[in-house]
Amino acid sequence: MVVSTMASRSPTIGESPKHRQRVEILGMQIDRLTYAETEQSLARFIARGGAHQVATVNIDFLSIGSRDPAFRALVNEADLVTADGTPVRWAARYLGSSLPARVTGPDLIDMAVRHSAAHGSSIFFLGAAPGVAAAAADALAVKHGAFHVAGIYAPPMGRLDGPEDVHIRRLLGDARPDVLFVAFGCPKQDFWIRDHRDLGVPVSAGIGGSFDYLSGRIRRAPRWAQRSGLEWAFRLAREPRRLAKRYLVDDVQVLGRIGISRFTRKQEASSQGERP
Ligand code: UDP
């Protein structure tokens, strides 16, 4: 096991917005970064210390954010926002811009584990059913070699207030990880990270079902399906009761909103062109 070197920390704000190139979809800003640039950003956050929130935007995020201004604000205030899914890259292209890469929760975990194995940074795994994150960490050690696990904890499902919150705060305060992955599902995990910024973890990322995939508990859609934007169909086939409304109602509405957004942008562009 590698021992991490910890710099002294105080919560800081992330990248200055003026240094970020971002693409806006339905009022949510997504960083225009390649896979390598995303990995470099994580390394920079770890080196700098402070607290940085990473959000991985997929169509569900766009759906929730298009209905909830607080969630939209959370995404826009996050320090790094990746496009988690081929459909988000399509949406960007449809709206006249481009997002160079798809960077998912498992991709962020791979990046952090590589950093840990090479530089000794430490990673805390929070969330998922008992035993799942530990199995994911074991699988990651097989793939990347030994790395520094700062801690693993699976809190009970549902609200995490009162003594449970005190307990989690104490665990993280003692472990002082460089990177924290939170698997509570969206938007719970992302609000939780925002509300725990004061813990001063240099990188905190909500990663949804990533521990389930990495542990092998749930089989992920094959790569060709991920690349061709069909991952949702595999998830829907596996969990139709839980996901039917999300994919067939909420996400279809989002596609409609994206269509309206393109129309509105074109109208605005042509009315600006007509001005003397
Ligand atoms: N989960 C959790 N606590 C909760 C809700 C969910 O630990 O209160 C875990 C769940 O076990 C799973 C992960 O969060 O490992 C992601 O859940 P889901 O598939 O709903 O998230 P999504 O990837 O769809 O955002």
Side-chain angles (χ1 to χ4, degrees):
M1 184 174 284
V2 186
V3 178
S4 76
T5 48
M6 305 271 187
S8 68
R9 287 175 198 142
S10 60
T12 59
I13 46 171
E15 296 292 291
S16 156
K18 68 173 187 280
H19 293 125
R20 291 168 72 175
Q21 280 190 26
R22 294 191 279 180
V23 170
E24 187 186 313
I25 306 178
L26 300 181
M28 278 160 277
Q29 306 271 356
I30 302 168
D31 287 293
R32 261 187 110 245
L33 293 177
T34 63
Y35 186 96
E37 288 165 342
T38 305
E39 190 157 8
Q40 286 157 13
S41 294
L42 294 187
R44 213 165 41 242
F45 292 162
I46 294 170
R48 188 195 292 167
H52 301 89
Q53 177 159 12
V54 183
T56 57
V57 168
N58 58 20
I59 293 287
D60 300 331
F61 272 64
L62 296 178
S63 166
I64 296 165
S66 65
R67 286 174 276 128
D68 180 357
F71 188 71
R72 213 157 51 232
L74 178 155
V75 170
N76 291 334
E77 284 158 21
D79 303 280
L80 177 65
V81 181
T82 72
D84 175 3
T86 302
V88 175
R89 296 186 65 210
W90 287 341
R93 204 177 318 148
Y94 180 72
L95 293 172
S97 24
S98 66
L99 287 164
R102 167 176 169 270
V103 179
T104 64
D107 290 332
L108 292 176
I109 296 173
D110 273 339
M111 291 174 189
V113 171
R114 266 198 298 270
H115 189 281
S116 175
H119 304 288
S121 48
S122 63
I123 306 176
F124 199 108
F125 296 72
L126 183 63
V132 172
D138 287 345
L140 287 161
V142 170
K143 181 174 174 189
H144 295 282
F147 69 102
H148 188 168
V149 177
I152 297 177
Y153 180 55
M157 301 282 156
R159 282 177 70 89
L160 299 173
D161 42 17
E164 189 53 44
D165 188 56
V166 173
H167 180 58
I168 298 175
R169 281 181 169 280
R170 189 168 306 139
L171 285 178
L172 286 165
D174 290 346
R176 291 178 60 77
D178 295 294
V179 180
L180 168 64
F181 289 115
V182 185
F184 295 158
C186 171
K188 178 180 170 183
Q189 62 197 15
D190 306 281
F191 281 121
W192 188 95
I193 291 171
R194 185 200 63 183
D195 296 342
H196 291 74
R197 246 186 128 85
D198 59 294
L199 288 168
V201 179
V203 175
S204 297
I207 43 76
S210 302
F211 297 159
D212 298 278
Y213 297 131
L214 294 170
S215 67
R217 197 181 83 86
I218 292 182
R219 249 192 77 215
R220 202 167 178 199
R223 262 184 200 285
W224 67 262
Q226 294 176 38
R227 279 201 215 101
S228 47
L230 288 174
E231 189 166 13
W232 64 273
F234 279 78
R235 292 193 68 179
L236 180 61
R238 195 178 300 122
E239 296 181 87
R241 276 166 179 268
R242 190 171 76 93
L243 298 176
K245 180 178 174 294
R246 187 192 289 188
Y247 291 147
L248 302 179
V249 180
D250 297 345
D251 291 359
V252 169
Q253 279 175 0
V254 166
L255 301 182
R257 289 195 189 105
I258 291 169
I260 293 167
S261 165
R262 175 158 115 154
F263 178 75
T264 316
R265 282 185 197 195
K266 283 198 166 162
Q267 294 283 95
E268 281 168 6
S270 65
S271 68
Q272 274 169 7
E274 279 164 17
R275 276 190 204 137

